[in-house]
Amino acid sequence: RKEVEQDPGPFNVPEGATVAFNCTYSNSASQSFFWYRQDCRKEPKLLMSVYSSGNEDGRFTAQLNRASQYISLLIRDSKLSDSATYLCVVNSRGTGSQGNLIFGKGTKLSVKP
Amino acid sequence: EPEVTQTPSHQVTQMGQEVILRCVPISNHLYFYWYRQILGQKVEFLVSFYNNEISEKSEIFDDQFSVERPDGSNFTLKIRSTKLEDSAMYFCAIFLRDRSTDTQYFGPGTRLTVL
């Protein structure tokens, strides 16, 4: 049973394209959800938290569907610098964010000129 | 500015040797975590440390692993007798509240190579 599942990709898109990533999680008690970005051989870096109401940060939009246990990330007007692996992450605890994080394997994005 | 640094950035060791990986937070934090990532695989939780005690650990964190804060600032992960399969990136993380988001921030990692 995979706790956090993502399409591994790779997604190869041209600059300016819109790309969407999906993720499902198995623990229905999970309360905190995140997208992290990881460049090759670097540490995961927080991209954004994901809230039930959906949230947007510039070109990035994250959505959460608790009923389906489904998380999404939309990147609009993609840039070359968006090329990275995008990690779907769920906090193990039902409440609070101090619990350990559970990572998906990541979806690799490659943006081409 | 990074909240946490890690040393060394790369450690090469022989199988069976002990290694100590260090995590140095920039400011006071209560929650610390170690994760590892084997090349090509997902990031995996090892252990969490709160108020100078282990609060949670995974199945990976067996008797070969230990953590401590020897001087109240550095946070260390020790592997007593390294195996080939311990080769991985090891990330230290701290819990931080930033712009109303509670989450964990990762150090740059230590690449451990066991020969």
Side-chain angles (χ1 to χ4, degrees), chain A residues 1 3-4 7-8 13-14 25 31 33-34 36 41 49 53 58 61-63 77 80 87-88 92 104 107-108 112:
Chain A
R1 178 178 65 89
E3 295 185 83
V4 178
D7 181 342
V13 303
Y25 61 94
Q31 295 290 325
F33 310 91
F34 311 94
Y36 278 73
R41 296 178 177 252
S49 299
S53 54
T61 301
Q63 295 276 355
D77 188 24
L80 296 177
L87 309 175
C88 179
S92 65
T107 299
K108 187 169 182 178
K112 306 291 187 186

Side-chain angles (χ1 to χ4, degrees), chain A residues 14-90:
Chain A
E15 267 186 294
T18 295
V19 61
F21 303 136
N22 304 319
C23 165
T24 57
Y25 61 94
S26 60
N27 184 0
S28 59
S30 299
Q31 295 290 325
S32 303
F33 310 91
F34 311 94
W35 284 100
Y36 278 73
R37 169 198 168 124
Q38 186 174 32
D39 293 291
C40 189
R41 296 178 177 252
K42 299 287 189 180
E43 75 272 25
K45 290 186 177 176
L46 178 67
L47 182 64
M48 57 199 306
S49 299
V50 188
Y51 306 113
S52 296
S53 54
N55 49 303
E56 188 174 310
D57 184 0
R59 298 181 292 108
F60 299 84
T61 301
Q63 295 276 355
L64 167 65
N65 183 322
R66 287 186 187 274
S68 304
Q69 295 177 212
Y70 172 94
I71 307 164
S72 66
L73 176 69
L74 185 76
I75 305 176
R76 289 181 298 278
D77 188 24
S78 51
K79 313 286 185 196
L80 296 177
S81 56
D82 293 334
S83 297
T85 297
Y86 290 83
L87 309 175
C88 179
V89 183
V90 175

Side-chain angles (χ1 to χ4, degrees), chain B residues 1-98:
Chain B
E1 289 298 321
E3 290 287 335
V4 59
T5 59
Q6 290 184 242
T7 59
S9 57
H10 191 188
Q11 173 92 47
V12 181
T13 190
Q14 295 290 327
M15 193 169 58
Q17 295 296 304
E18 175 183 284
V19 295
I20 297 176
L21 311 182
R22 290 183 173 79
C23 172
V24 184
I26 302 300
S27 55
N28 288 333
H29 296 284
L30 292 177
Y31 289 93
F32 297 88
Y33 309 80
W34 282 103
Y35 292 81
R36 81 169 184 192
Q37 186 176 30
I38 295 170
L39 187 64
Q41 298 189 24
K42 65 180 180 179
V43 177
E44 300 174 291
F45 168 72
L46 292 177
V47 65
S48 59
F49 194 79
Y50 169 67
N51 206 23
N52 294 325
E53 289 184 349
I54 289 176
S55 59
E56 206 169 346
K57 58 184 180 179
S58 72
E59 293 175 352
I60 303 168
F61 195 86
D62 61 22
D63 292 344
Q64 291 299 311
F65 291 88
S66 62
V67 289
E68 62 177 4
R69 282 189 86 184
D71 55 9
S73 60
N74 292 346
F75 177 49
T76 63
L77 173 70
K78 183 191 291 186
I79 309 176
R80 263 180 272 282
S81 179
T82 49
K83 307 184 192 70
L84 295 176
E85 54 265 37
D86 293 329
S87 294
M89 281 290 290
Y90 287 81
F91 296 109
C92 172
I94 51 105
F95 173 78
L96 191 67
R97 173 165 288 177
D98 179 27

